[in-house]
Amino acid sequence: MARVAITELSKLYDGGGEPAVKDLSLTVGNGEFMVLLGPSGCGKSSVLRMIAGLEPITSGKIAIDGEIVNEIPAKDRDIAMVFQSYALYPHMDVFNNLAFGLRRRGIAKTEIERRVQGAASKLGLLPFLKRKPHALSGGQRQRVALGRAIVREPKVFLFDEPLSNLDAALRVSMRNELIRQQREMGITAIYVTHDQVEAMTMGHRICIMNKGEVIQIGKPLEVYRNPANTFVARFLGNPPMNLIPTSVEPDGGAYQLRVGGMSLPTDCWPAETLSRLGGKALLGIRPEDLYETAQRPDERRRIAIARAHVIAVEPLGAETLIILSLEGAAEEVTMRSGRETRLRPGDNATIELDLAAAHLFDPKTAQVIPPVHEEREARWAKAE
Amino acid sequence: MKPPSAVEPSAAKGIAYLRGAPLMAFALIYTIVSGGPFLWVAMMSLRTTPEIFASPYALPSSIHWEKFVDAWTKSNYGTYFWNSTIVVVTAVALLTVIGAMVAHCLARYRFRGNRLVRFVILSGMILPPQLMILSLFQILLEYHLYNTLTGLIIVYVAGHLAITVYILEGFFAQIPQDLFDAARLDGYSDLEIFWRITLPIGVPALFTTVTLNFIILWNEFLYAVVLLTEDDKRTLPLGIMHFMGNHQLDVGMVATGLMIAIGPVILLYAFFSETMIRGMTAGAVR
Ligand SMILES: Nc1ncnc2c1ncn2[C@@H]1O[C@H](COP(=O)(O)OP(=O)(O)O)[C@@H](O)[C@H]1O
Ligand SMILES: [Mg+2]
């Protein structure tokens, strides 16, 4: 168990113009499961490889339990990593794959035997101990890779997209397996993925990265509900948050948002901030915060009514996605509706926007405009 | 594509045979061309020279095994065989270890001057041996290695390092980097990783270079004839010269000597040919 503290970490590859990682700071607590989430190429693997000691650090510090490990070689860091490719040793059977890391550490033979048997039985690998990796299925290989990390009982687990080579069903079951093992052992874990479902379901906290930088760190639902900028807003959530360009217009002492022919009140946001926007803002609203008139469950929400035209209807089984164009606005928005929806393409519909769940972004900086708080806090408190 | 439904299954089989026919014919001709002379020498090795002169292509009428004993005892064949064994086994062992290490480094590490080192080593492949033989002769004389087996071993290792590295590096480069990273995280040093990951995974490629080097060096004549002049230092290919006297050629004994020389190569090939072909054609890890 260990605490991993990363301070202003940067990585510049030879011959690469832009740094792959820029001034990244992050602390992962003892026993915490931290997910690094971001689009492919944003530097997640680079961070992980620097923590592991597989890649030299350009600048910044990495400390494990307070000890700076920048100069400690990978073999002495006591870190276990699960690779996307599994990286099983092809010339060794499953038993030896699991035991390889223990042998080097001078652990007694009986203890190695005990640990390997233990991990193998936890992961359902006992029947395959004498098999070579090429004679295993994808799911079994994945288990061996996980087992190889588990037997080591390291200070830190690192996972680099370990589930992305599995098919959908296996991925779900391995996801749960992995969470269970990590929670049981209480070993600090850093998990890299570009899959937001994995991030939302697995992590104690998520660190969202883009272009080598940390964009936002927080608990999964916190980040989902309070995205720091438009990148997070669109990256988390499927379908992503609607971002509707609006104009901010003075209305007496206050301001109004105009979307096409519709005016929305702005009392969720401080007028002073709105005044600095230069007349333009992006209204962010998640598909599940749009309602068909009859389906809104809760009376207390701050509702705005909009007229819209149905462009497409996508039934997904459990729910139906409705693609709409708001009256007088060019942008398409997506609404998440029940499976029993009556809307058909070409219909005109009246929809309701839950303004209490909406976000406002500054189009120039893409950053969120912090709302007036009481409203929001009360709402989340209730939801939790 | 539509399956050729009009063709009956048996007819389809016939067509398949026909398609294979040119290939079969080629394989047959190739076998005759390459195996024929070998069989001929094998038969001559069991016949006496007068018999051979009487009828060069005949099958052995009575089998003269004693010719092998003669070849071994009446000349210095035991010494030649032993010399060849020492030189070739040592050279191949050194080539395998040094070549694998070089290939591992070139395939795994990006170091300063890496491309230059590779170029220098691999350019050794294109230099014809005739070009170097005089300078080698001089150098070996100077270092008192002329007429020694050690000298020949060094020459062999140097001469074959390029091709060995070339074959091994191609194979090692295909081993995924993740395996090496995993082994490092498992606590192994670079040298241990070489012994425990690269070498065992590279076995098919190693078989290829071992077999290749063994066969070529076992038959090597040019360097041996220039660099070894004392009779008790000679290797097998030179030993055969013994039967080619100054005035007349003892064809029967030459054939017997050749068979003794070829023996180890045939054995090696019989055991390792399959592994070797796999090493040359297959990828490293699937
Ligand atoms: N060994 C390397 N040499 C040069 N550039 C690299 C290397 N590894 C990664 N990069 C670059 O660094 C950036 C981040 O890569 P990576 O950390 O693998 O991202 P991710 O894991 O998020 O997909 C990419 O632009 C990639 O091209
Ligand atoms: Mg990656």
Side-chain angles (χ1 to χ4, degrees), chain A residues 74-80 99-108 112 115 152 154, chain B residues 183-188:
Chain A
K75 68 189 178 75
D76 301 324
R77 286 196 194 184
D78 196 14
I79 286 176
F100 193 61
L102 298 176
R103 296 228 171 88
R104 185 65 188 78
R105 292 186 155 72
I107 295 169
I112 292 178
R115 282 211 217 168
R152 289 257 316 273
Chain B
R184 276 165 82 188
L185 289 175
D186 269 344
Y188 290 86

Side-chain angles (χ1 to χ4, degrees), chain B:
Chain B
M1 273 219 303
K2 264 182 22 180
S5 50
V7 184
E8 291 294 309
S10 60
K13 223 183 222 171
I15 288 173
Y17 274 128
L18 278 183
R19 284 220 188 98
L23 187 66
M24 283 309 292
F26 177 78
L28 195 69
I29 292 169
Y30 185 83
T31 310
I32 291 170
V33 167
S34 58
F38 171 74
L39 276 180
W40 190 28
V41 173
M43 284 188 300
M44 287 199 293
S45 74
L46 295 169
R47 304 167 72 211
T48 61
T49 305
E51 278 173 359
I52 294 168
F53 277 131
S55 147
Y57 299 103
L59 291 170
S61 48
S62 61
I63 295 177
H64 296 275
W65 290 113
E66 76 280 358
K67 285 182 66 200
F68 281 83
V69 181
D70 281 358
W72 193 271
T73 51
K74 289 203 181 137
S75 69
N76 234 343
Y77 239 66
T79 313
Y80 303 150
F81 200 95
W82 179 236
N83 287 346
S84 260
T85 308
I86 290 179
V87 168
V88 174
V89 168
T90 317
V92 167
L94 286 174
L95 272 170
T96 307
V97 173
I98 299 174
M101 285 182 164
V102 174
H104 174 78
C105 289
L106 288 179
R108 279 304 135 196
Y109 302 109
R110 266 176 293 163
F111 52 89
R112 210 174 255 281
N114 139 332
R115 298 227 271 185
L116 183 70
V117 171
R118 171 187 287 120
F119 177 78
V120 168
I121 292 179
L122 295 191
S123 61
M125 266 194 309
I126 51 174
L127 288 180
Q130 291 85 343
L131 208 66
M132 290 181 291
I133 200 141
L134 276 182
S135 35
L136 271 176
F137 174 78
Q138 280 298 330
I139 294 171
L140 291 190
L141 263 184
E142 241 166 82
Y143 284 86
H144 305 291
L145 289 168
Y146 181 66
N147 247 331
T148 64
L149 297 184
T150 318
L152 192 63
I153 291 171
I154 293 174
V155 169
Y156 280 175
V157 170
H160 279 227
L161 195 60
I163 182 76
T164 308
V165 168
Y166 180 74
I167 293 174
L168 292 181
E169 192 205 340
F171 192 90
F172 290 172
Q174 291 176 39
I175 303 176
Q177 180 63 32
D178 282 357
L179 287 183
F180 297 91
D181 293 343
R184 276 165 82 188
L185 289 175
D186 269 344
Y188 290 86
S189 68
D190 290 29
L191 191 62
E192 286 168 320
I193 288 173
F194 170 73
W195 287 110
R196 291 162 173 273
I197 305 287
T198 306
L199 278 192
I201 293 177
V203 161
L206 292 172
F207 270 126
T208 306
T209 59
V210 166
T211 319
L212 204 66
N213 285 331
F214 186 92
I215 292 174
I216 298 177
L217 293 182
W218 188 260
N219 295 324
E220 207 283 330
F221 186 81
L222 179 62
Y223 284 129
V225 80
V226 174
L227 303 178
L228 302 173
T229 49
E230 286 170 22
D231 191 51
D232 61 351
K233 295 283 163 52
R234 284 186 174 142
T235 55
L236 265 184
L238 307 186
I240 293 160
M241 299 268 288
H242 186 92
F243 299 109
M244 306 186 184
N246 288 336
H247 306 297
Q248 86 175 83
L249 188 66
D250 188 349
V251 178
M253 286 313 278
V254 168
T256 310
L258 273 176
M259 282 317 288
I260 295 178
I262 295 170
V265 174
I266 301 280
L267 275 183
L268 189 78
Y269 200 76
F271 281 117
F272 293 142
S273 65
E274 221 170 285
T275 329
M276 173 169 146
I277 287 164
R278 231 186 300 146
M280 285 194 284
T281 54
V285 199
R286 38 197 216 115

Side-chain angles (χ1 to χ4, degrees), chain A residues 170-246:
Chain A
L170 259 178
R171 204 177 306 171
V172 174
S173 69
M174 275 314 291
R175 198 162 78 204
N176 293 321
E177 180 77 51
L178 211 151
I179 299 173
R180 210 182 67 224
Q181 300 296 346
Q182 193 269 340
R183 305 288 196 267
E184 242 169 50
M185 302 179 74
I187 290 177
T188 311
I190 303 177
Y191 186 104
V192 158
T193 181
H194 64 263
D195 180 324
Q196 49 156 318
V197 179
E198 282 176 20
M200 295 294 293
T201 52
M202 300 181 84
H204 291 125
R205 284 195 299 158
I206 305 183
C207 169
I208 297 186
M209 293 179 58
N210 190 27
K211 297 187 181 149
E213 291 178 293
V214 172
I215 307 294
Q216 192 173 6
I217 302 178
K219 293 183 183 160
L221 284 179
E222 234 171 63
V223 177
Y224 183 82
R225 286 163 180 167
N226 299 311
N229 62 18
T230 53
F231 173 79
V232 180
R234 292 202 59 88
F235 196 74
L236 275 189
N238 185 23
M241 182 183 282
N242 297 301
L243 291 176
I244 309 164
T246 64

